[in-house]
Amino acid sequence: MEKRQDIALGLLFAAFGIAAAWMATGYTGASGNYPMVLGLLLALLGGAVTVRAVRATRNEVRALVDAPAQMIIAAVIATIYVALVVPLGFYTASFLLMLALPAALGFRQAVYALIVALVFMALIYLVFSVLLEKPLPREALLSLFGSGA
């Protein structure tokens, strides 16, 4: 039973990925590169799930969610994050997410969480602001200090 579900889910993700990549070919200029790469990545991962399920020798029933409380906590924090992106700015909200989510899920090593959050933010800045040159929601903290970025 689980094997069929994994195969169906993998094929569904692969189909969505291929559809997204195909739709991105219609975008003008370089604007389709990012969605195309994401679509192809989704298709690749969906294909990997399908292949793994087909090759699996065991077909055991497993729980849909191992830790429902943590799933609900993560969904609530993700919803708060989405609500905070516009008023606080993408970088500020993302940094707070990277600190709040591990703490809410039980990770208690604050120094490591801070280091991961800082590295994550540096990577996000490099990808979106430097590499892709994509405008992101205005940072509330910067506008408070008058720099306006």
Side-chain angles (χ1 to χ4, degrees):
M1 179 164 106
E2 296 301 320
K3 189 173 182 175
R4 286 185 310 183
Q5 291 171 347
D6 288 348
I7 292 170
L9 185 64
L11 290 173
L12 183 68
F13 278 125
F16 279 140
I18 291 168
W22 180 262
M23 287 173 48
T25 61
Y27 295 170
T28 58
S31 64
N33 292 347
Y34 186 65
M36 182 181 294
V37 168
L38 288 180
L40 292 174
L41 233 135
L42 183 61
L44 230 131
L45 293 173
V49 168
T50 303
V51 168
R52 182 177 178 201
V54 167
R55 296 179 68 194
T57 56
R58 299 171 70 181
N59 193 19
E60 298 173 358
V61 176
R62 62 181 186 261
L64 182 60
V65 177
D66 290 331
Q70 282 81 4
M71 185 192 72
I72 292 169
I73 290 169
V76 167
I77 290 175
T79 303
I80 293 168
Y81 165 70
V82 169
L84 290 178
V85 167
V86 173
L88 293 182
F90 179 78
Y91 295 112
T92 304
S94 297
F95 183 72
L96 292 174
L97 170 76
M98 291 300 296
L99 293 177
L101 191 58
L105 295 177
F107 188 74
R108 298 290 178 240
Q109 297 183 9
V111 173
Y112 292 124
L114 181 62
I115 290 169
V116 168
L118 289 171
V119 169
F120 175 76
M121 293 315 303
L123 289 172
I124 292 296
Y125 175 78
L126 287 173
V127 168
F128 286 103
S129 296
V130 176
L131 183 66
L132 297 175
E133 297 177 353
K134 294 293 177 190
L136 295 170
R138 183 180 175 92
E139 288 296 310
L141 293 178
L142 292 177
S143 58
L144 285 176
F145 295 116
S147 60

